[in-house]
Amino acid sequence: DASAGDVGDGGEIVVWSDVSNPDSLTRVEGQLWARAGSISGDGGNLETSGYSLDVNNISTDASALNGSGSNGQWLIDPFNITISGSVDQNITQGTDTFTPIGSGASISPQTIETALSTGNVIVQTTNPSGTDPGNILVASNVTAPQGSGDLTLIADNNIEIQSGVALQNTAASGSLKLDAQNDIYIDGTISWNPGPSGSVELVAGSGGDITGYGSGQLHVWDGDLIIDVHSNSTPSGFEGEIITDVGVNLIKNGAGEFLIAPGFEWGAND
């Protein structure tokens, strides 16, 4: 427990083994706490890492419940990550970030949801040491809890929301950002309420595109919908459905195009 007392920031806890040794294993069970002071302060930093990592029975808390501070962060590089199943595999966990440290890496929705209840979460595949292309595949539903922190997915290559799968948030807190060096594929559903001061942001890298098929749906309930396409010459187009509730601001960034394809439907809820 590296939590602060009444005043102050949460501390730092690091549990690691040799990340370069294929025989290395870090297994963490129990509670790691780096909470902010009860009166003031920010949440602290938590990190667990190793060539192989087992955090199936871990409980983390780097929150700031004092009303004035910021939550700490849990960090989860290129290897691929699949968000699915009930067991975390080949994942290293920092303060608010989950990063793959081997092929076949996966993280369970429950791990992400639990972490969101006490802070922000980043899932990333940006480490140049891996051999996979660095995709993030969302293959199981992820539901943000009440009082959710921000959820960010950062991929060295593509991000895909699989058909029949939903990223969803009805909590009116916690922004969502999908940041891909290449393409974003929305074959399933993103239904997200970040609250009036939050946002849903989709970022496609140079030459990348944001696409959705007939079953794909993007529903933003409040705040800002930010579309950021760096550059592309032949966008394939979004063929799914985008719904923005009243009061949602649409912001387009970047020099690239966001193409509305035949079969696309745009709706604005009253």
Side-chain angles (χ1 to χ4, degrees), residues 17-244:
S17 56
D18 187 352
V19 296
S20 64
N21 183 354
D23 296 325
S24 169
L25 168 65
T26 302
R27 177 178 289 116
V28 185
E29 300 181 357
Q31 299 172 326
L32 299 183
W33 289 352
R35 295 176 293 192
S38 58
I39 297 175
S40 65
D42 298 331
N45 298 316
L46 303 173
E47 179 182 354
T48 57
S49 62
Y51 190 93
S52 296
L53 181 68
D54 180 358
V55 293
N56 286 315
N57 296 308
I58 196 173
S59 172
T60 63
D61 189 348
S63 60
L65 302 180
N66 48 55
S68 61
S70 299
N71 289 329
Q73 298 187 14
W74 188 21
L75 183 65
I76 303 189
D77 270 304
F79 289 108
N80 298 330
I81 293 179
T82 299
I83 299 175
S84 182
S86 58
V87 177
D88 302 332
Q89 297 180 351
N90 287 338
I91 286 289
T92 183
Q93 173 192 338
T95 305
D96 73 333
T97 306
F98 296 91
T99 304
I101 45 82
S103 297
S106 65
I107 182 170
S108 73
Q110 183 179 8
T111 297
I112 294 175
E113 292 163 4
T114 300
L116 283 172
S117 68
T118 59
N120 304 321
V121 172
I122 301 171
V123 180
Q124 68 177 19
T125 62
T126 56
N127 187 325
S129 64
T131 56
D132 294 340
N135 297 323
I136 296 178
L137 173 64
V138 183
S140 293
N141 294 340
V142 177
T143 302
Q146 291 296 316
S148 174
D150 299 337
L151 175 60
T152 303
L153 308 185
I154 304 174
D156 201 64
N157 194 36
N158 301 325
I159 297 174
E160 179 181 356
I161 313 300
Q162 197 172 71
S163 178
V165 171
L167 280 175
Q168 50 201 357
N169 178 2
T170 61
S173 67
S175 294
L176 174 67
K177 182 176 183 178
L178 307 186
D179 188 345
Q181 286 294 312
N182 198 13
D183 296 323
I184 296 175
Y185 301 102
I186 303 176
D187 303 331
T189 299
I190 297 176
S191 180
W192 204 268
N193 184 354
S197 61
S199 64
V200 173
E201 183 174 4
L202 307 180
V203 182
S206 299
D209 200 2
I210 300 172
T211 64
Y213 298 98
S215 60
Q217 183 186 85
L218 172 61
H219 183 182
V220 181
W221 297 45
D222 207 348
D224 297 331
L225 170 57
I226 304 172
I227 303 293
D228 191 337
V229 183
H230 290 191
S231 63
N232 52 19
S233 56
T234 56
S236 57
F238 196 101
E239 299 178 7
E241 180 180 22
I242 294 179
I243 302 172
T244 54

